[in-house]
Amino acid sequence: QVQLVESGGGVVQPGGSLRLSCAASGFTFSSYGMHWVRQAPGKGLEWAAVISYDGSNKYYPDSVKGRFTISRDNSKNTLYLQMNSLRPEDTAVYYCAKVPSGYVGAFVDYWGQGTLVTVSS
Amino acid sequence: DIVMTQSPATLSVSPGERATLSCRASQSVSSNLAWYQQKPGQAPRLLIYGTSTRATGIPARFSGSGSGTQFTLTISSLQSEDSAVYYCQQYNNWPPHTFGQGTKLEIK
């Protein structure tokens, strides 16, 4: 079965950096697009980044563009999110999420359990 | 960017009754609309995609309808385990892949 396990969350000071990882199993990782979706405490879902199956296409919302970088290592079945210049408003649970195709313009069919990032001094 | 607006913010329905949740897009998203369910402390779960196709393992009491800018998630014969927050998401015009703000469904 599909499993997505996030790691790398924690407490970081404003202006700091953090790299999240998502270990994927139970499917052919290299064939599917992947999202990062975040959720601030008590708030709704916010899309944070998406990458195509081969890493050639990446997209971000304006709120993180230029600060966050999504990448993947298909040889390790792992998705990453490099977060720089972190702000208190980036505090959220970050979910790794699978797309049901290699295409980036689709919904999410599986979600990880999330990892909490807290940006605070 | 397309804005997704869900209503109502909170809905309280008795067990066995029907719940109707709405999602409106600021411009047409064709039929490229998904619904997710999120229970407290859990990750979201895909319920419906393509406006009306149930995801694997989703009970038949969940159904979706609509097109263009107006969409509905209907849960017939509510059960206690249906208490959750429900989100819609459009994937027609992206980026961004926008979500609605959610509807909290409470079972009386």
Side-chain angles (χ1 to χ4, degrees), chain A residues 39 47 95 104-105 107-108 111-112, chain B residues 36 38 43-44 49 87 94 96-97:
Chain A
Q39 187 170 35
W47 169 69
Y95 294 103
V104 295
F107 54 93
V108 169
W111 301 71
Chain B
Y36 305 91
Q38 186 178 34
Y49 62 93
Y87 296 94
W94 52 268
H97 300 61

Side-chain angles (χ1 to χ4, degrees), chain A residues 35 39 43-45 47 50 59 95 103-109 111-113, chain B residues 34 36 38 41-46 49 87 89 91 94-97 99 101:
Chain A
H35 289 278
Q39 187 170 35
K43 303 297 184 182
L45 302 172
W47 169 69
V50 67
Y59 299 93
Y95 294 103
Y103 181 51
V104 295
F107 54 93
V108 169
D109 60 352
W111 301 71
Q113 283 303 302
Chain B
Y36 305 91
Q38 186 178 34
Q42 295 185 16
R45 175 176 72 150
L46 176 66
Y49 62 93
Y87 296 94
Q89 182 205 17
Y91 52 98
W94 52 268
H97 300 61
F99 291 90
Q101 80 279 19

Side-chain angles (χ1 to χ4, degrees), chain A residues 69-88:
Chain A
T69 301
I70 189 171
S71 62
R72 63 192 299 158
D73 186 336
N74 286 344
S75 68
K76 295 182 178 179
N77 290 346
T78 303
L79 177 73
Y80 302 101
L81 186 67
Q82 177 67 44
M83 304 185 293
N84 298 330
S85 303
L86 282 161
R87 306 166 179 168

